[in-house]
Amino acid sequence: MSQPPAPEHFGRSAVRRVERGFDSVFGARLNPLRHLGSLGFLFFWIIAISGIYLYAVLDTSASGAYRSIDELSRKQWYLGGLLRSVHRYAADALVLVMIGHLIREWLFGHFRGFRRFSWLTGVPLLLFVFACGIGGFWLNWDQLGQFSAMATAEWLDGLPLFASPLARNFLSAAAVSDRLFSLFVFIHLGLPLLLLFGLWFHIQRISLADVFPPRALAVAATATLFVLAALKPVLSHPAADLSQVPATLAIDWIVLFVHPLMYATSSGFIWGILVGVLFFLLLLPFLPQTRVIPVAKVDPDNCNGCRRCFDDCPYAAVTMVPHPNRRLARQMAQVDADLCASCGICVGACPSSTPFRSVAELVAGIDLPHSPISRLRQQLQAALASPDSDRKIVVFGCDHGASVEALRDHGVAVFSLVCTGMLPPSFVEYALRDGASGVLVSGCRAGGCEFRLGQQWTEARLLGVREPHLRAAVPRDCIQMVWADAGDDAALRVALSTLRRRIAAFDGPVPLVEPA
Ligand code: HEM
Ligand code: SF4
Ligand code: SF4
């Protein structure tokens, strides 16, 4: 039916293995590895809310800052102290989920073509998050904050950026003026605002971005931060003292690892690593692409302007424009080639993709030129007409999920689509009407769809809660859905056996259902 997807390389299958391991603990829907971006947003908001409280009590003078924060932990441990700890742990969590999110997207190869924008706008977020996190330690103005501020100044002095070395600002207590401390406050308040703007920009080219994790996951993640904060409250080190070098420090290795690394190497080494990593990340999306897949194409004569493709496209690649033939419809879909992922989810949404149309050549309002929906109808008709078995099971699968090919035998006809979201529900009804004994629909696990929303929309359409919906008259006993990632072939086989048993138990012949 479609072109084969990029081969599963080691990194991709390793991520899938890890994700499957987590699935068995959390379930696919609540697996944190499938919601790293939205967890990042959650931690950002927790940091912002707890930060507002901390700012209200912070004495922003160099001499008063230490006392105002230290007393918060000691005298008001049940509220201010708790929020201070949550603030710190949420910052650590944000760094961890951000790095996890980056590694996941990288190993899945999600940095090219239509994803280039998301990738390139993600890279500056790395810098913002670390800069916000490191700057936060300075505001306590304890020995850890002193160490971090000093190390950052020495690192910046590694480049000939400033006329006089920044580290001179930390030679004596008198040198750390209120003005310098106001700069610390400004950095720690200004950068998060830039980060928020960067986050908004990052998800601009994504429809219905997953910016809030499922409620149970959000509650569990927030509760974990509070439990950690209660069990191991964050306390200040002794007050900063520029006449001494701090002796023992409890380093936050997640945010501040870069300082000990610099002292173990050199500031030049850290600059080299930073420039090298940024260069690599920014170069990745521009590496030559081996496969260029044609994007979705609209046929004005078959587009009635219903906007379903506009609503369902996961990458906001569809816009609605005035229809060239106003007698047919007021609006028509238009595809932005730069944004289109060639996923076919719009084809599954389009009312004109129904196989019941009496036209000899099925032309959809929107279609994938390399894998048109008419071909699926032809192949389905041919498979159900073949004499080797009169009651086949039809399997509609997805190129990116578990391979449906292994299920092919004389009693099973298989069709693998670019994304399971390309399947118009009417094809399920059509297959049953044309003689299939049952239909198995498979795709990636919840949260694992290669094109973000294909699995979700397919499930909703087949359950009848999203347009185009599967008609209520279609016998549900003859239909099975299974969500299985690449490599999870066992789940497919189990689902097929379940469907076979259900069909056998189904009372009487499959009723003929009339087309919509
Ligand atoms: C604070 C840090 C970050 C947060 C909170 C964040 C959040 C998100 C969110 C919510 C999405 C949409 C997910 C969805 O709805 O499917 C997303 C997508 C994406 N992010 Fe991030 N992100 C961050 C950093 C990064 C970084 C550092 C990179 C890589 C350099 C990156 C690369 C991507 C890519 C490629 C996508 C598109 C995924 C797809 O199309 O399937 N992000 N991010
Ligand atoms: S193929 Fe996918 S990305 Fe392209 S327009 Fe259709 S739904 Fe949008
Ligand atoms: S779903 Fe089909 S008919 Fe509706 S606007 Fe899109 S292309 Fe046109």
Side-chain angles (χ1 to χ4, degrees), residues 30 35 37-43 210-219 221:
L30 296 182
H35 297 282
S38 58
L39 280 172
F41 267 85
L42 173 74
F43 293 134
D210 179 21
V211 288
F212 199 79
R215 194 176 304 164
L217 180 60
V219 170

Side-chain angles (χ1 to χ4, degrees), residues 36-42 44 94 97-99 101-106 110-111 114-126 129 195 199 202-203 206-212 281 315 449-453:
L36 291 169
S38 58
L39 280 172
F41 267 85
L42 173 74
F44 174 84
L94 175 57
V97 295
M98 177 181 67
I99 302 287
H101 174 60
L102 181 147
I103 293 176
R104 183 180 191 274
E105 302 303 329
W106 174 50
H110 289 175
F111 41 77
F114 62 96
R115 288 192 178 97
R116 185 184 285 170
F117 180 88
S118 301
W119 181 266
L120 290 176
T121 53
V123 176
L125 300 181
L126 281 172
V129 168
L195 174 61
L199 284 171
H202 182 54
I203 51 167
I206 290 181
S207 307
L208 304 173
D210 179 21
V211 288
F212 199 79
L281 292 177
Y315 292 102
C449 175
E450 176 70 10
F451 301 107
R452 299 184 52 247
L453 301 174

Side-chain angles (χ1 to χ4, degrees), residues 114 207 294-298 309-310 312-319 334-337 339-349 366-368 418 451 457:
F114 62 96
S207 307
V295 299
K297 199 164 174 287
V298 175
C309 54
F310 172 84
D312 283 9
C313 174
Y315 292 102
V318 178
T319 41
Q334 189 176 61
V335 175
D336 182 335
L339 303 185
C340 179
S342 308
C343 64
I345 292 175
C346 48
V347 185
I366 190 162
D367 212 343
L368 295 184
V418 179
F451 301 107
W457 290 166

Side-chain angles (χ1 to χ4, degrees), residues 208-255:
L208 304 173
D210 179 21
V211 288
F212 199 79
R215 194 176 304 164
L217 180 60
V219 170
T222 312
T224 307
L225 293 181
F226 274 90
V227 170
L228 261 178
L231 291 180
K232 197 167 179 341
V234 171
L235 295 173
S236 296
H237 287 65
D241 180 353
L242 295 173
S243 62
Q244 286 179 12
V245 176
T248 32
L249 292 174
I251 298 272
D252 180 323
W253 288 96
I254 297 172
V255 177

